[in-house]
Amino acid sequence: MQIKQVAGQTFVRDCMRDYGFEVLENRAFPRIEDGLKPIQRLALWAIHGFKTDHFIVSAQLAGKTTGSYSPHAEDAAYKAMVGMVQDRYAAIEGQGSFGDIANPAAAPRYTKARLSEFIQKISTDLPDMRVVPYCPNYDETLTQPVYLPMAIPYLLLNGSEGIGVGITTKIPAFNLGEVCKAVLKRLGGASLEEACKQIRGPDGFACTALSSKKEIRAFMEAGEGTLEYECEHRIEQVGRRWRLVVSGFCPEFTPSAFLGRCSRLQDDGAIDAARNESSGANGHRLVVEYKDPDTFERRLRSLLRRKVSYRINVLFDRGGQLKPEMCGVGRVVEAWLEIRRKQVQATIEAEVADLGAKLERERAKLKAVQNLSEIFAALESKGDFKQYLVEKLGFEPEHAAMIADMRVEALKKTSATEVEARIEALEAERAAVREKLTDVDAIIVEQITCLLLWAKKHHPGFLERMIKEQV
């Protein structure tokens, strides 16, 4: 055993650096390709592994995630699942009480989950999954995808936040329709700056943006900035009393903290009552009653406002090593689009290769049909049948094995005309697929357009803007 002397300062620095990279890669930050943190990606992969559209008990899904792919506690997997159920563009569809911002989720044994229809629309499974890189799981008994192929920049839809060693990320949510339009406009030839004007700013909360359009645009270009919001509310007069009704929450607003502040105002006599009337029927609804009409501006309005500091830090693959990089919204769109083009191209090339392999098998079958007498003579001889096909008839070893595995009766009944027709059809299909390589952007446009049509028909709320602009 060799002992190496290392200065304490160097040892601590190297250890903290390695620990910092480990936290960033395996816990805290999302990747640019799919916008998912590792635990989110592994939870989706575990659910996908059940190969069913039925709801499965969440405890089983969380156990599968941690048992097979993530060496962390089941609570972490379930917490990630709850977040993906609560997201506006949910990747997981829940059954049971998954809670919301005002209420905690039930225990995993009481809830069920499955992949949402939305995530199945945008996470293009096969054939794209064949061209996605895989890596071993934590104990090297299984493989897992390094990232999932997404038909849109999912990173921008639900937002994400994480804390690493000396670096943080807090990405706001944006509107599905606006993000898709920005990508389509960019694919249509518009400049990146012009395309990103389709994205008006963060979205996904029922509130009003108090920051100016200039401030919002500056944040989106730089990827860093502070924006201010105010909860959606209205003031009602009931006789001689006034009532503040909060019906939508802005980022970083929590009902419990708000009601706690109101409780202290009630003790001081500034307000009469404060209560949470949120329910499935009412939606989000916090009610504060008071007598003095000036109380709202003097004591309550500040409680409805939040200043949120955002920093878009994302993991990029740099030569096989993940590196965090702060970037604006335009940079995210452009980087994702570059990655998506490569994915689609690789998928088409894989499909062309598959069709080529089928063609070769059909041609080998045609050759066998055209040389039936020699093949039957070889079958009756005592020599190596496969070797004879390779040496005497010029078959490739894998095609010789295929012919050897065919039943004699099936080979006799095979018509050369039928095989030739199949060869012709496969050649035409391969040519058509290969033609797609000349316009990869058209395929991306088609996928996004189909998604928008689906959302417009089945989930029109996905395309509506939630955050209002200040008048």
Side-chain angles (χ1 to χ4, degrees):
M1 179 179 180
Q2 185 178 5
I3 298 176
K4 182 180 179 182
Q5 291 187 348
V6 180
Q9 183 178 3
T10 303
F11 176 77
V12 172
R13 182 193 63 208
D14 292 346
C15 288
M16 288 302 296
R17 180 194 61 203
D18 294 342
Y19 171 73
F21 282 130
E22 177 69 19
V23 170
L24 293 181
E25 292 181 17
N26 295 322
R27 290 195 181 188
F29 281 21
R31 289 183 65 122
I32 183 68
E33 293 91 347
D34 58 13
L36 297 171
K37 293 183 181 180
I39 190 64
Q40 295 174 321
R41 185 180 306 111
L42 297 178
L44 293 178
W45 184 244
I47 298 173
H48 172 77
F50 280 89
K51 304 293 183 183
T52 179
D53 291 331
H54 298 294
F55 284 99
I56 303 172
V57 176
S58 298
Q60 186 178 2
L61 297 176
K64 175 69 173 176
T65 303
T66 55
S68 298
Y69 302 109
S70 176
H72 302 296
E74 291 182 18
D75 287 347
Y78 185 56
K79 184 178 179 180
M81 288 171 55
V82 169
M84 287 189 282
V85 170
Q86 293 177 354
D87 284 337
R88 183 184 185 189
Y89 306 107
I92 297 177
E93 181 183 355
Q95 187 180 77
S97 179
F98 274 90
D100 54 30
I101 190 173
N103 302 290
R109 62 183 178 276
Y110 299 126
T111 62
K112 295 182 178 181
R114 65 182 180 186
L115 293 178
S116 69
E117 188 178 3
F118 177 75
I119 200 67
Q120 293 183 63
K121 289 285 182 183
I122 69 169
S123 60
T124 50
D125 188 2
L126 293 175
D128 282 2
M129 283 306 299
R130 292 181 302 172
V131 301
V132 167
Y134 285 76
C135 64
N137 67 335
Y138 68 93
D139 62 358
E140 299 186 352
T141 58
L142 297 169
T143 58
Q144 61 195 39
V146 173
Y147 55 81
L148 301 178
M150 296 288 187
I152 53 174
Y154 192 63
L155 174 75
L156 296 176
L157 295 190
N158 292 314
S160 182
E161 58 183 289
I163 301 175
V165 178
I167 186 171
T168 63
T169 187
K170 189 174 181 66
I171 306 170
F174 293 87
N175 182 272
L176 170 66
E178 293 176 4
V179 170
C180 289
K181 288 176 183 177
V183 176
L184 291 175
K185 201 167 184 66
R186 179 61 174 152
L187 289 168
S191 67
L192 184 60
E193 181 181 0
E194 189 66 27
C196 286
K197 287 181 180 179
Q198 298 293 319
I199 305 176
R200 291 157 57 185
D203 193 24
F205 290 87
C207 61
T208 301
L210 301 182
S211 299
S212 66
K213 292 182 179 179
K214 184 177 180 181
E215 290 171 325
I216 294 173
R217 185 57 53 185
F219 152 69
M220 292 176 60
E221 290 176 358
E224 183 180 25
T226 299
L227 303 179
E228 187 174 7
Y229 303 96
E230 183 176 70
C231 293
E232 189 175 279
H233 64 277
R234 65 180 183 275
I235 298 174
E236 302 171 349
Q237 184 176 5
V238 183
R240 295 183 179 181
R241 301 168 69 88
W242 298 81
R243 179 187 297 161
L244 166 66
V245 179
V246 184
S247 55
F249 305 151
C250 65
E252 297 190 357
F253 176 91
T254 56
S256 58
F258 173 78
L259 292 174
R261 294 286 297 276
C262 288
S263 178
R264 289 193 286 274
L265 291 176
Q266 188 175 354
D267 292 340
D268 294 340
I271 64 174
D272 295 335
R275 58 186 177 273
N276 187 351
E277 295 183 355
S278 300
S279 67
N282 292 337
H284 292 149
R285 181 181 170 88
L286 306 178
V287 178
V288 182
E289 295 181 351
Y290 51 94
K291 296 176 182 177
D292 185 356
D294 295 331
T295 297
F296 173 70
E297 289 293 342
R298 289 188 294 107
R299 309 296 295 271
L300 293 174
R301 186 155 206 161
S302 62
L303 302 183
L304 301 179
R305 294 184 172 183
R306 294 290 185 275
K307 288 185 177 181
V308 185
S309 296
Y310 292 115
R311 182 185 293 265
I312 304 178
N313 271 313
V314 190
L315 291 178
F316 285 79
D317 190 332
R318 301 298 185 214
Q321 187 174 8
L322 293 179
K323 297 285 187 181
E325 181 178 321
M326 190 175 74
C327 52
V329 173
R331 170 81 175 108
V332 170
V333 170
E334 189 77 347
W336 174 86
L337 192 52
E338 181 182 348
I339 291 165
R340 185 60 185 156
R341 284 180 173 130
K342 291 178 180 178
Q343 289 176 354
V344 173
Q345 182 174 345
T347 299
I348 296 171
E349 289 172 348
E351 192 173 353
V352 169
D354 284 349
L355 290 170
K358 288 181 181 178
L359 262 171
E360 291 303 316
R361 288 196 294 271
E362 290 299 325
R363 285 170 179 158
K365 193 180 295 182
L366 177 61
K367 188 175 182 179
V369 171
Q370 292 171 341
N371 293 274
L372 280 179
S373 58
E374 290 90 342
I375 288 176
F376 290 151
L379 283 172
E380 294 173 357
S381 68
K382 296 181 179 180
D384 188 329
F385 178 62
K386 295 180 186 177
Q387 192 67 23
Y388 177 84
L389 295 180
V390 172
E391 294 180 356
K392 302 296 183 182
L393 297 181
F395 282 90
E396 294 294 328
E398 60 270 22
H399 297 151
M402 179 194 72
I403 299 300
D405 290 338
M406 289 185 67
R407 296 177 60 186
V408 175
E409 290 301 320
L411 198 57
K412 282 183 179 179
K413 292 179 181 179
T414 302
S415 166
T417 304
E418 292 176 357
V419 178
E420 288 171 348
R422 286 199 296 269
I423 290 173
E424 185 178 350
L426 284 170
E427 286 176 339
E429 184 180 357
R430 185 174 65 168
V433 173
R434 187 182 281 125
E435 184 67 24
K436 295 179 182 178
L437 287 170
T438 61
D439 196 357
V440 170
D441 286 1
I443 297 174
I444 302 175
V445 168
E446 182 182 1
Q447 290 175 341
I448 295 177
T449 303
C450 289
L451 172 65
L452 288 174
L453 291 173
W454 171 83
K456 185 177 181 180
K457 180 178 180 180
H458 299 283
H459 297 279
F462 282 179
L463 306 178
E464 295 174 359
R465 187 162 181 82
M466 295 180 67
I467 293 183
K468 301 175 182 177
E469 296 177 1
Q470 189 180 21
V471 179

